[in-house]
Amino acid sequence: MSTIHLHRTTTATPEQYVAGLTDFGPGRSKLFGNSADAYLKVHHRGGSYADVTEGSGGIWERLHYDWSDPNRVVLTTTDPNVWGGASGHTYTFRRLPNGATNIDVVVIRDGKNLKGRLLGFVLGTIGRRVLEKAFENSVKAIEARNARTQAIPASPPELWVVGETSPKRAVTNVKPGR
């Protein structure tokens, strides 16, 4: 069994990262490279949980996602082809005073067959760098996704007039005196 600890600091809020982590729509592989669209199947989804099968490259697992705690998301492996036992992921979020977020991830890989045990050994040794790079890419992709969302104006500008109690919409092509 391999236990891998990963850490990143991001400009994304915990809510933004959880939104990316729990976006099971097409294109998920752009955020999480090990989750190919061809493997992705949402079996059930509720307000703070989901039952999803995902994977890539011949390795897949059915995961129970639980994001009921706003500072923690737990992915429990329930039906895999190579992983078993205590396998899963736990994401823990901590807001920093400067607005950034620390993300700590614990990945547990417990092989259920020979292929899983070999992959678990590789991940626990030289494969850790692969997981680190994948996590770093996910953080960058979620930051970029949020930067694009924030660049879209929410509404037309408002004009506040001194003495008024509510804003007025900016009006153009109005002649003085009318």
Side-chain angles (χ1 to χ4, degrees):
M1 181 168 72
S2 295
T3 301
I4 298 114
H5 297 268
L6 305 170
H7 173 82
R8 285 283 177 267
T9 300
T10 177
T11 58
T13 65
E15 295 83 6
Q16 290 169 328
Y17 199 87
V18 171
L21 187 60
T22 59
D23 180 351
F24 304 110
R28 180 171 173 78
S29 62
K30 292 177 184 168
L31 299 178
F32 299 94
N34 292 331
S35 184
D37 288 348
Y39 286 77
L40 187 62
K41 180 175 182 183
V42 178
H43 303 281
H44 186 73
R45 183 178 176 141
S48 62
Y49 67 93
D51 182 22
V52 179
T53 297
E54 58 188 323
S56 66
I59 299 171
W60 57 267
E61 62 187 320
R62 188 167 178 170
L63 294 158
H64 175 79
Y65 280 72
D66 177 355
W67 61 94
S68 57
D69 179 341
N71 297 312
R72 185 182 193 93
V73 178
V74 178
L75 288 64
T76 306
T77 302
T78 59
D79 181 24
N81 68 338
V82 296
W83 309 121
S87 292
H89 307 70
T90 301
Y91 291 78
T92 305
F93 306 98
R94 186 171 53 88
R95 293 177 193 271
L96 300 175
N98 66 358
T101 302
N102 276 341
I103 306 174
D104 292 300
V105 182
V106 177
V107 180
I108 298 175
R109 288 303 187 208
D110 187 7
K112 79 173 198 177
N113 52 33
L114 181 59
K115 182 178 180 179
R117 287 190 292 278
L118 288 172
L119 284 171
F121 174 76
V122 169
L123 282 176
T125 56
I126 59 174
R128 175 187 168 86
R129 280 179 240 120
V130 173
L131 289 179
E132 286 175 338
K133 186 66 174 167
F135 179 45
E136 181 180 336
N137 290 342
S138 294
V139 169
K140 287 178 181 177
I142 289 172
E143 288 174 342
R145 169 176 138 153
N146 290 315
R148 285 191 305 273
T149 303
Q150 292 171 356
I152 301 169
S155 61
E158 297 177 332
L159 174 66
W160 282 84
V161 178
V162 175
E164 296 288 329
T165 58
S166 62
K168 306 294 182 201
R169 292 278 177 219
V171 180
T172 57
N173 298 330
V174 176
K175 295 181 181 177
R178 290 193 176 190

